[in-house]
Amino acid sequence: MLRRAGLSLGQFLWRRKSSAEFSCSFGKAKMSRPVQAQKLEGLDKNVWVEFVKLAATYPTVNLGQGFPDFSPPDFVKEAFVKAVSGENAMLHQYTRVFGHPALVTILARFFGKLLGQDIDSLTNVMVTVGAYEALFCCFQALVDSGDEVIIIEPYFDCYEPMVKMAGGTPVFIPLRPKTPAPGKLMSSGDWQLDPAELASKFTRRTKAIVLNSPNNPLGKVFSKKEMELIADLCVKHDVLCFSDEVYEWLVYDGKKHIRIASLPGMWDRTITIGSAGKTFSATGWKVGWTFGPDHLLKHLRTVHQNCVYHCPTAAQEAVAQGFQREFERYGKPESYFVQLPQELQQKRDRLVQSLLAVGMKPIIPEGTYFLIADLSDFKAEVPDLPDCEEPYDSRFIKWMIKNKGLAAIPVSAFYSTAQKRNFDHLIRFCFVKEEATLKAAEDILQQWKLKKTGP
Ligand code: PMP
C-alpha cells in the first residue's frame, strides 16, 4: 500500500506524525463546547505551582514552600524501611479503606487521651492522603451550594477554592493587627479577631467555619479565650468547625495548643485535621487524618471511598509506629513532639535576627515554621506600581529570587481578592531548614545589608 502511494516507510511515518499533530491542534481549535467544568472558573492559579517552579529555575536558597530540608527522625524512617523490607507481604497491598488498622488504633488512643474523649478507631477516625484530602473531604461532604463557610484571613490558600468547588460561598473575616507595645516587636498574637465583626459573619446560611491554629502563614496560636468565642458562636448558630491543626506540635515560648473539639459542645460539630507531614517532618509521605463524631465522619467516608479510596499502606504503618513511640514518651524530654519545637524555636530566633539586620520587620510567630516579614522599607529597591495587577509582594519575591537568590512566598496569596492589596507588603519565610540553609540565607541578607547601608 505504501509503495502504491509512492512513499517510503520514513516518509509515511513522518506524514502520519505531522497529520496527528495537525489534527490534534485542529481538533483543539474546533472544539466548540466549553471543556472546563464551571465550578473551576477562576481557580486555576496556584501560588505553590508558580513560586516552587520559579525557585527551581534560579539558584536560590529556598525559604519558600513549607517543607523541612532535613530527614524525618530515625524511628519513623526505620519503621518505613521495616514496613517495605520486612516479612509482612500485606504491607505492600491495599489495607483498610478508611485507614490502616494499626494507624487508626493508635490515633484513636493518642487523641482520645489528649481530648479526654472516647474515640472509636473505626468510626471516629479516617486516614487521608495528607491534610489536603482531609480538607477536601470536609468541604465535599458537608458543604452544599448556597452554604456559607467562614474563613479567617490570612488563610491556607486552598480553603477558598475547596469551598467554591463544593458550591459554597466563602465569607472572610480578617485578623486585625494591633500596634505592639513600644519597643516590642510585633507578634502573631497581636493579630486578633474583632468579636463583633466575627459574630456578624454568622448567618442562617453559615454551615461551617474553618479554624487553623497554629495558623499558616501568620504563626498565630489562638488563645483559649479566642477559641471560646468561636465555639460559642458555633454552638449558638449550629455551625460546624473544620479545625486544621497540622502544626499542633509546633508552638513556642511556652504557648499551649488548644484543641477546639475539647471545648463544651464542640466535639459533636468539629472535624479535626492532622498531618504526618508536619508531625514527623515527612511532607512527601502524604499521610493525613481526620477525627470527629461518626455522624459527620460517615459523610467524609462517602467522599473518600469514591475518590482516593485507600492510602499507601507502608507509610501508614510507619506513621502508626511513630505515634506508638510518641505515645509512650508523651511530654518527656526524649519525645520528638517536645524536641522538634525546641529546635525550631532556635531557628525562628536566628531568622528573626537576620531579618532585623537587613531592615525587614519580622512578625514573631507563636507557632508553625513560618515567619512573616514586613517589606515596607524596601520600596526604594523594588518600586511599587499602584496600577499593576500583580500584588507588590509577589513582584518583590520574583525580584528577590532573581537578584538575591532567596525565595519566599507572598502573603497576598493567603488573602481574598478584596484584601490582597491591603497585605501585599508582607512575605512569608519558612524556617524548618538545615543550619547550612539558614546560614546561606543569613549570608545573603548580610550582603544585602552591606550593599544598602555600606560597611
Ligand atoms: N493545612 C495547612 C494549614 C497546611 O499548611 C498544609 C500544608 N502546607 C496542609 C493543610 C496540607 O498538608 P498535607 O501536606 O498533609 O496535605
Side-chain angles (χ1 to χ4, degrees), residues 66 129-133 135 156 159 212 216 244 246-247 274-275 277-278 283 286-288 370:
V129 178
Y132 259 108
E133 195 225 333
L135 288 160
F156 182 49
Y159 302 156
N212 173 215
N216 175 10
D244 180 344
V246 299
Y247 299 103
S275 164
K278 317 295 170 182
T283 57
K286 289 299 290 184
V287 176
F370 304 115

Side-chain angles (χ1 to χ4, degrees), residues 218-444:
L218 187 57
K220 179 181 171 68
V221 177
F222 284 68
S223 67
K224 180 120 191 264
K225 205 167 146 220
E226 289 170 311
M227 294 263 183
E228 282 168 350
L229 171 74
I230 296 168
D232 288 349
L233 287 164
C234 286
V235 172
K236 182 172 167 198
H237 295 273
D238 197 19
V239 161
L240 301 173
C241 180
F242 303 154
S243 186
D244 180 344
E245 303 185 19
V246 299
Y247 299 103
E248 59 196 320
W249 306 110
L250 307 182
V251 289
Y252 311 124
D253 308 317
K255 273 245 154 197
K256 280 246 159 331
H257 170 61
I258 311 284
R259 294 162 204 284
I260 197 162
S262 69
L263 298 187
M266 288 307 286
W267 168 257
D268 276 340
R269 59 183 68 253
T270 302
I271 296 180
T272 304
I273 293 151
S275 164
K278 317 295 170 182
T279 300
F280 292 115
S281 307
T283 57
W285 292 10
K286 289 299 290 184
V287 176
W289 57 85
T290 57
F291 58 82
D294 185 38
H295 68 93
L296 298 181
L297 272 243
K298 69 179 180 190
H299 303 299
L300 273 67
R301 292 197 288 270
T302 306
V303 178
H304 178 79
Q305 76 199 10
N306 288 304
C307 59
V308 165
Y309 188 71
H310 155 278
C311 304
T313 308
Q316 292 190 69
E317 173 68 18
V319 173
Q321 299 296 329
F323 265 106
Q324 187 59 49
R325 178 203 188 261
E326 287 301 303
F327 188 76
E328 287 149 18
R329 288 164 181 75
Y330 186 74
K332 298 194 178 135
E334 60 272 28
S335 155
Y336 188 65
F337 298 167
V338 171
Q339 288 172 351
L340 182 63
Q342 284 168 354
E343 244 175 70
L344 288 179
Q345 185 167 325
Q346 285 173 17
K347 291 180 192 287
R348 175 197 71 170
D349 294 344
R350 184 173 170 174
L351 184 59
V352 164
Q353 291 313 317
S354 316
L355 292 170
L356 280 173
V358 76
M360 287 190 198
K361 292 187 212 96
I363 300 168
I364 314 298
E366 304 155 287
T368 74
Y369 39 57
F370 304 115
L371 186 161
I372 286 181
D374 188 325
L375 298 170
S376 300
D377 294 344
F378 281 73
K379 300 236 159 137
E381 293 213 41
V382 183
D384 201 356
L385 305 172
D387 294 331
C388 176
E389 227 181 76
E390 186 175 7
Y392 179 73
D393 53 356
S394 174
R395 288 181 39 245
F396 183 91
I397 291 173
K398 286 178 184 169
W399 173 88
M400 190 167 79
I401 290 174
K402 288 176 196 162
N403 295 281
K404 301 290 175 191
L406 183 62
I409 296 289
V411 168
S412 59
F414 301 87
Y415 277 94
S416 60
T417 308
Q419 291 283 5
K420 275 187 199 302
R421 277 284 175 184
N422 296 331
F423 293 92
D424 72 349
H425 56 294
L426 303 170
I427 59 176
R428 190 199 78 172
F429 291 99
C430 172
F431 57 83
V432 66
K433 302 293 174 190
E434 291 267 27
E435 283 307 295
T437 312
L438 292 174
K439 170 81 175 63
E442 226 168 62
D443 290 347
I444 290 172

Side-chain angles (χ1 to χ4, degrees), residues 121-162:
S121 62
L122 300 182
T123 55
N124 298 137
V125 185
M126 185 175 87
V127 177
T128 53
V129 178
Y132 259 108
E133 195 225 333
L135 288 160
F136 185 76
C137 288
C138 287
F139 295 117
Q140 287 297 318
L142 302 167
V143 174
D144 253 329
S145 121
D147 286 344
E148 291 180 355
V149 177
I150 300 174
I151 298 178
I152 300 167
E153 299 186 272
Y155 55 91
F156 182 49
D157 64 308
C158 73
Y159 302 156
E160 181 181 356
M162 283 196 190

